[in-house]
């Protein structure tokens, strides 16, 4: 395999090897004693192999992945990213587990992560390739030994990688209780993301994943840590929720009695239906999308938020939608923001729904009251997974100086040089975004005390659990 700098003449120069890394001769002298490539524009990187910058054929070789500018998010930190991500990176941004080789983040890399991902609370949960005797402050390392199939990691920023939504769900499944796991699973399978810059704090996106895709991922990786609680939660999740309150409404109505729900059968969120010609004339649209649909009993439960349903235009659309559904024989029940947080009001909604189905509400589980109290104490909010300053729109701290992009940063951008962020003048650190309930002495991920706790557990520094 040969290298040639751009705009250079003469024969191509063979590469030299330094510390297991392949360097062009133009960078060899400058790179001595340096941790990064000083001139990344001289190289292109594609599919884990170096290729000639001038084009043509070249021999493919495996990359040793020994560059320092790489960090892999894990579990709760990855979940924080995905909950606020407007879209899923394309297939070209997927990398395999071999990209984890020699990946041990240092303090500069953690500061760079804090600048690029200001929404992620501390401590930062990251995946490392080997056990770390020392790690930077506010970092919880997790060691990966399970052999994952395919390319389960996504490049989400320059040098920053996150597990795919399916793997992320399995990782957090071992640390969250069932109610919290179903809630975040509904969010990952929903059509919204957290965006504090909008009026209602939400944006629209295509679903990151689905119940079927998560189940297929676990099937391809049997024995992975967290698979058992993840499978348990999959049977209680729904696809297509358009907001956190809708996801919680589906939980409160659809969960079995033993988990604190009202066990309404056949719950589906935002499933598109085709109305009759009469209903189309009323609604002035060709399709209708009920918030919570029970097709077998022709029941529609609509959630009306205080922000989205306050304008005159939206009130008109809601009335047209309700009349159109009633014209097709559907029973429409409206739930307000005040009702969704009250156990008594939600019981009345469930009783109306049961009467429509021709059955009675009879919770016979001994754990119903206790589980329902825990469910409503949890609520629908996802704010605990993001820093308070980011949610409130506080100004972001100045970025630290980041290393120049290395070939490992260009895994998914062949032939395109990445820009380095501007150098900082200061870097104030703050612990205001730390998870509530976390202490200096933390719990092991497999500890049963974490089940039902107020915050996900992390591992003590220097003790990295296996993934």
């Amino acid at each position: 395999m040969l290298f040639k700098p751009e705009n250079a003449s003469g024969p191509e120069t063979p590469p030299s090897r330094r510390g297991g890394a392949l360097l062009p001769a133009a960078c060899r002298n400058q790179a001595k004693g340096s941790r990064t490539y000083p001139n990344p524009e001289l190289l292109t990187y594609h599919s884990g192999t170096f290729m000639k910058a001038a084009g043509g054929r070249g021999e493919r070789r495996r990359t040793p992945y020994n560059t320092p500018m790489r960090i892999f998010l894990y579990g709760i930190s990855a979940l924080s990213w995905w909950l606020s991500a407007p879209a899923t990176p394309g297939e070209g941004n997927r990398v395999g587990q071999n990209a984890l080789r020699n990946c041990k983040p240092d303090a500069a890399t953690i500061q760079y992560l804090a600048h690029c991902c200001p929404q992620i609370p501390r401590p930062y949960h990251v995946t490392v390739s080997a056990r770390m005797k020392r790690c930077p402050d506010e970092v919880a390392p997790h060691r990966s030994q399970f052999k994952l199939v395919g390319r389960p990691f996504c490049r989400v920023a320059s040098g920053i990688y996150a597990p795919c939504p399916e793997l992320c769900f399995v990782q957090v499944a071992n640390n969250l209780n069932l109610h919290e796991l179903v809630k975040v699973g509904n969010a990952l399978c929903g059509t919204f993301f957290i965006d504090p810059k909008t009026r209602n704090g939400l944006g629209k996106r295509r679903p990151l994943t689905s119940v079927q895709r998560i189940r297929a991922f676990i099937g391809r990786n049997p024995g992975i840590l967290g698979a058992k609680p993840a499978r348990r939660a999959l049977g209680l999740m729904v696809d297509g929720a358009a907001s956190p309150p809708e996801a919680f409404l589906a939980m409160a109505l659809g969960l079995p009695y033993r988990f604190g729900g009202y066990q309404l059968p056949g719950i589906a969120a935002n499933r598109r239906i085709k109305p009759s010609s009469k209903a189309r004339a009323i609604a002035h649209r060709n399709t209708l999308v009920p918030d919570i649909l029970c097709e077998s009993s022709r029941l529609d439960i609509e959630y009306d938020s205080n922000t989205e349903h306050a304008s005159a235009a939206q009130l008109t659309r809601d009335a047209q939608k309700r009349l159109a559904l009633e014209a097709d024989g559907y029973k429409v029940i409206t739930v307000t923001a005040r009702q969704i947080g009250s156990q008594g009001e939600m019981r009345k909604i469930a009783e109306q729904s049961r009467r429509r189905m021709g059955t009675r509400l009879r919770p016979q589980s001994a754990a119903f009251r206790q589980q329902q109290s825990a469910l409503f104490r949890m609520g629908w909010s996802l704010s605990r997974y993001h820093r308070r300053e980011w949610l409130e729109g506080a100004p972001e701290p100045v970025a630290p100086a980041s290393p120049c992009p290395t070939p490992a940063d260009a895994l998914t951008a062949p032939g395109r040089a990445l820009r380095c962020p501007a150098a900082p003048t200061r870097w104030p650190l703050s612990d205001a975004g730390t998870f509530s309930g976390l202490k200096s002495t933390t719990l092991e991920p497999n500890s049963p005390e974490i089940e039902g706790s107020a915050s996900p557990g992390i591992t003590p520094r220097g003790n990295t659990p296996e993934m």
Side-chain angles (χ1 to χ4, degrees):
M1 178 172 56
L2 302 178
F3 294 84
K4 183 178 181 181
E6 293 181 359
N7 302 324
S9 59
E12 295 168 336
T13 307
S16 62
R17 192 178 290 268
R18 178 180 178 273
L22 294 172
L23 293 174
C27 298
R28 179 172 49 194
N29 296 330
Q30 301 179 25
K32 289 182 178 180
S34 174
R35 300 182 64 189
T36 59
Y37 294 101
N39 192 359
E41 288 82 1
L42 296 177
L43 302 176
T44 57
Y45 194 80
H46 179 64
S47 301
T49 58
F50 286 111
M51 301 297 292
K52 293 187 301 181
R57 295 183 179 180
E59 179 187 355
R60 292 177 177 267
R61 294 183 183 177
R62 291 184 179 275
T63 301
Y65 292 108
N66 62 345
T67 53
M69 187 50 204
R70 283 177 295 115
I71 185 168
F72 285 75
L73 301 177
Y74 177 91
I76 294 297
S77 296
L79 177 64
S80 177
W81 167 267
W82 286 123
L83 291 179
S84 57
T88 310
E91 286 296 324
N93 291 276
R94 302 291 287 265
V95 298
Q97 197 172 9
N98 58 344
L100 275 170
R101 297 177 186 173
N102 303 320
C103 182
K104 294 182 178 181
D106 55 12
T109 308
I110 296 301
Q111 289 184 341
Y112 174 69
L113 172 65
H115 167 66
C116 293
C117 306
Q119 71 273 33
I120 300 180
R122 298 176 177 87
Y124 297 110
H125 294 254
V126 299
T127 303
V128 297
S129 57
R131 192 177 298 273
M132 297 178 64
K133 295 182 179 179
R134 294 182 180 180
C135 65
D137 294 336
E138 299 181 325
V139 173
H142 300 258
R143 186 161 58 100
S144 173
Q145 286 188 332
F146 187 87
K147 301 300 181 182
L148 297 167
V149 177
R151 297 181 295 171
F153 296 97
C154 301
R155 178 179 178 269
V156 297
S158 178
I160 301 176
Y161 299 83
C164 64
E166 297 82 13
L167 176 57
C168 176
F169 179 77
V170 175
Q171 288 176 348
V172 301
N174 206 53
N175 296 75
L176 300 180
N177 60 50
L178 182 65
H179 289 157
E180 198 74 34
L181 184 59
V182 173
K183 182 174 72 172
V184 300
N186 289 342
L188 292 175
C189 299
T191 59
F192 66 90
F193 69 97
I194 307 300
D195 185 3
K197 297 180 181 179
T198 60
R199 182 166 58 94
N200 62 347
L202 297 176
K204 293 183 179 180
R205 70 180 177 193
R206 292 184 177 181
L208 298 177
T209 185
S210 64
V211 173
Q212 182 178 0
R213 289 173 61 182
I214 297 175
R215 185 175 286 112
F217 176 84
I218 298 176
R220 292 192 302 269
N221 298 273
I224 185 173
L225 185 66
K228 184 176 180 180
R231 286 195 187 98
R232 186 186 185 192
L234 285 174
L236 309 173
M237 290 163 46
V238 296
D239 294 328
S243 66
E246 286 186 15
F248 180 79
L249 182 61
M251 291 179 60
L253 297 176
L255 287 180
Y257 291 138
R258 66 183 183 277
F259 298 134
Y262 290 108
Q263 201 168 321
L264 299 186
I267 289 289
N270 294 285
R271 178 177 295 176
R272 192 175 298 273
I273 61 175
K274 187 174 181 180
S276 63
S277 58
K278 181 180 179 181
R280 287 198 300 269
I282 297 174
H284 302 290
R285 65 192 91 167
N286 294 325
T287 59
L288 296 174
V289 184
D291 291 347
I292 304 296
L293 177 66
C294 298
E295 183 63 35
S296 59
S297 56
R298 302 186 76 80
L299 172 66
D300 171 31
I301 302 174
E302 293 288 321
Y303 171 71
D304 289 349
S305 65
N306 295 331
T307 56
E308 288 297 314
H309 300 265
S311 64
Q314 187 60 43
L315 289 174
T316 301
R317 287 179 58 87
D318 292 343
Q320 292 173 346
K321 177 181 176 181
R322 187 177 297 108
L323 292 174
L325 288 169
E326 291 175 350
D328 278 353
Y330 285 87
K331 169 70 174 177
V332 181
I333 301 176
T334 301
V335 180
T336 64
R338 184 175 181 179
Q339 289 176 307
I340 200 173
S342 171
Q343 291 182 241
E345 293 296 326
M346 286 304 301
R347 185 179 181 92
K348 295 177 183 178
I349 299 296
E351 289 174 349
Q352 292 183 47
S353 303
R354 283 288 183 177
R355 282 197 296 267
R356 175 67 179 183
M357 297 176 180
T359 59
R360 296 180 63 182
L361 185 67
R362 293 180 176 178
Q364 297 179 353
S365 174
F368 172 76
R369 292 185 179 276
Q370 179 183 1
Q371 290 292 320
Q372 188 172 78
S373 298
L375 175 65
F376 279 84
R377 279 198 307 269
M378 176 191 70
W380 54 262
S381 177
L382 296 168
S383 61
R384 61 174 295 219
Y385 296 104
H386 298 97
R387 295 184 69 241
R388 185 175 65 251
E389 293 86 349
W390 181 78
L391 292 173
E392 295 175 353
E396 299 178 6
V398 180
S402 64
C404 292
T406 63
D409 298 330
L411 279 171
T412 59
R416 186 177 302 173
L418 301 175
R419 297 180 180 179
C420 297
T425 57
R426 59 186 177 87
W427 178 248
L429 294 177
S430 171
D431 60 352
T434 306
F435 283 121
S436 60
L438 288 178
K439 301 179 180 179
S440 57
T441 303
T442 53
L443 299 174
E444 291 286 347
N446 294 330
S447 175
E449 288 83 354
I450 294 180
E451 185 74 19
S453 62
S455 60
I458 61 173
T459 56
R461 187 177 306 170
N463 185 11
T464 53
E466 297 181 1
M467 198 168 65

